[in-house]
Amino acid sequence: MSGGSGLQRAQQFMILATGLYRASHLTVGVVSVARHTPGSPAAWGILGAAVAVSLTLYGTARAGGWFARPWVWCDVLVTGCALPWAAWWALGGPAVSQNGWLMLLGGSASSAAAVGLGVGGAAASAVLLLATSLAVHLVVAGSRSAELVGHLNAVLSSTVMAWVFWWYLRRQGALLDAAQSQAVTAEAARARQAERMAHHAALHDTVLATLTTIAAGRVDANAAPVRERCAREAAYLRRLVQQEDGAPQRPGVPSPGATAVGAALEVAVRSAECLGLRVAAQYHALPVVPREVAGALEAAVCEALNNVRTHAGTGEAFLTAAGHWDGTLTVTVVDRGAGFDPAAADRSGGTGLRRSVRARMAAIGGAAGVESAPGEGTRVELRWPA
């Protein structure tokens, strides 16, 4: 069974179950026609019409995820109501006896109607199928009442059981979706709390330590290294406020060990800042992602920032990270430095962007793109998922 919501899984199961029910009746039809009327073009034509309608009904259901009401009604009216009369006219009474294969199709038609048309449609289709069975019984000479009762019971039973199964599966699907939603919410809350704790620890080790040292008079507050450190930590505080203000996006279903991506990106930014690179970073609506994704993004951003520091000939980089409504995440690293020819770099066998950026993103189902030209700076874009 493929994935999806609980309701989608219930729908997939009912399409499969009612499709197998119809397939069993068509198999009886093939055997019956091949044994009793193998040389009758009319018999094969009627069987072919039943097969065509069935393939259309269940093919469109599989493609669209659920039964299309027009095709369900087509199945009821053609397979369950019209074909028995066509067989009676073309082949005679024995072809439409209550135990014959054509009348069996009424049962599988009623089951598809029960799940695809709702209560009102299921009741109306059951009335049509029962009326057809009764009318055929009245015009076919020699038909027996006991067979009619058994057939009517089969049609009603198929309708009721299919509806009950569908009601139960739909209810269980709704419960599954509710439980999954609660688990996602709890996991996202845990990840956000873990990120807050990481930020609190960083504040203690950096901003608070700097302020305490300055307040104690142990350093010269006007010294260039102190001012530079204060500037870095002020930028960190601004980024922290941005993350708190950003409205969370739809996070999807995080895997066990999910984490907020902001903390991972912040590690990369602060690492580059400690090595002397100024990073102007902006975050917006960052989602919760699996831990391995956050780790790969951290490593890829580290490599992109290291390339700026090492090769761009500028002391500043610009990082932007944003989540989107569809659950995707985009991270860009831009510099206004020397730039380079990406094609020439690939031919020269450079491994930084290829292995540390592109390969890492590909390993988590993401993608990386590089735009650069000599004298025009460089733009690295990371996307997850691709």
Side-chain angles (χ1 to χ4, degrees):
M1 185 74 66
S2 62
S5 68
L7 177 60
Q8 289 171 335
R9 295 180 183 183
Q11 290 174 331
Q12 291 166 5
F13 178 82
M14 289 307 300
I15 292 171
L16 176 62
T18 55
L20 291 174
Y21 190 30
R22 170 57 58 84
S24 68
H25 290 170
L26 291 175
T27 301
V28 173
V30 172
V31 173
S32 178
V33 172
R35 177 177 297 178
H36 300 295
T37 54
S40 172
W44 287 110
I46 291 171
L47 177 61
V51 171
V53 173
S54 301
L55 289 177
T56 303
L57 171 64
Y58 288 97
T60 55
R62 286 289 296 174
W66 191 234
F67 292 104
R69 291 176 66 90
W71 284 115
V72 178
W73 277 115
C74 178
D75 183 54
V76 170
L77 296 175
V78 174
T79 305
C81 298
L83 288 185
W85 289 112
W88 172 76
W89 177 78
L91 304 174
V96 287
S97 65
Q98 297 297 337
N99 289 330
W101 70 271
L102 266 171
M103 304 309 292
L104 287 177
L105 293 177
S108 52
S110 68
S111 66
V115 300
L117 297 178
V119 176
S125 63
V127 169
L128 286 174
L129 294 168
L130 293 173
T132 299
S133 299
L134 181 59
V136 169
H137 170 77
L138 294 175
V139 301
V140 174
S143 60
R144 291 177 291 183
S145 298
E147 292 180 352
L148 173 64
V149 172
H151 176 71
L152 296 180
N153 178 68
V155 172
L156 282 174
S157 298
S158 297
T159 302
V160 173
M161 286 192 294
W163 187 88
V164 169
F165 289 158
W166 172 228
W167 171 83
Y168 177 77
L169 289 174
R170 186 172 52 195
R171 180 175 178 271
Q172 294 302 310
L175 293 175
L176 175 62
D177 288 342
Q180 188 177 57
S181 177
Q182 291 176 356
V184 169
T185 301
E187 185 65 22
R190 186 210 61 77
R192 297 289 182 188
Q193 179 63 23
E195 185 180 35
R196 291 190 187 97
M197 295 303 296
H199 283 311
H200 292 167
L203 287 172
H204 177 273
D205 296 339
T206 57
V207 178
L208 182 60
T210 300
L211 293 176
T212 301
T213 302
I214 293 174
R218 292 195 291 267
V219 296
D220 181 5
N222 292 319
V226 175
R227 292 201 306 271
E228 182 179 345
R229 175 165 178 166
C230 289
R232 287 200 307 267
E233 292 171 359
Y236 169 61
L237 289 175
R238 283 193 294 270
R239 295 193 297 268
L240 183 59
V241 171
Q242 289 175 358
Q243 292 185 62
E244 291 295 329
D245 289 344
Q249 300 286 333
R250 298 175 184 173
V253 181
S255 64
T259 184
V261 74
L265 296 178
E266 192 58 37
V267 170
V269 170
R270 292 184 64 79
S271 175
E273 287 178 332
C274 288
L275 295 175
L277 182 68
R278 296 188 305 277
V279 182
Q282 291 188 344
Y283 306 129
H284 176 68
L286 297 182
V288 173
V289 300
R291 184 170 298 167
E292 63 272 15
V293 172
L297 286 167
E298 176 188 330
V301 170
C302 275
E303 180 61 27
L305 293 175
N306 284 337
N307 281 343
V308 175
R309 183 177 58 83
T310 306
H311 303 296
T314 177
E316 187 174 22
F318 304 87
L319 183 145
T320 303
H324 308 287
W325 281 109
D326 58 0
T328 60
L329 171 67
T330 304
V331 181
T332 58
V333 177
V334 179
D335 69 74
R336 298 170 181 167
F340 65 99
D341 182 355
D346 289 340
R347 289 193 299 270
S348 68
T351 61
L353 290 175
R354 187 174 69 250
R355 291 184 181 175
S356 297
V357 177
R358 292 194 181 102
R360 279 195 173 100
M361 294 304 297
I364 59 171
V370 179
E371 298 177 6
S372 186
E376 299 295 332
T378 302
R379 181 178 185 272
V380 178
E381 181 179 282
L382 312 178
R383 298 180 301 279
W384 182 86

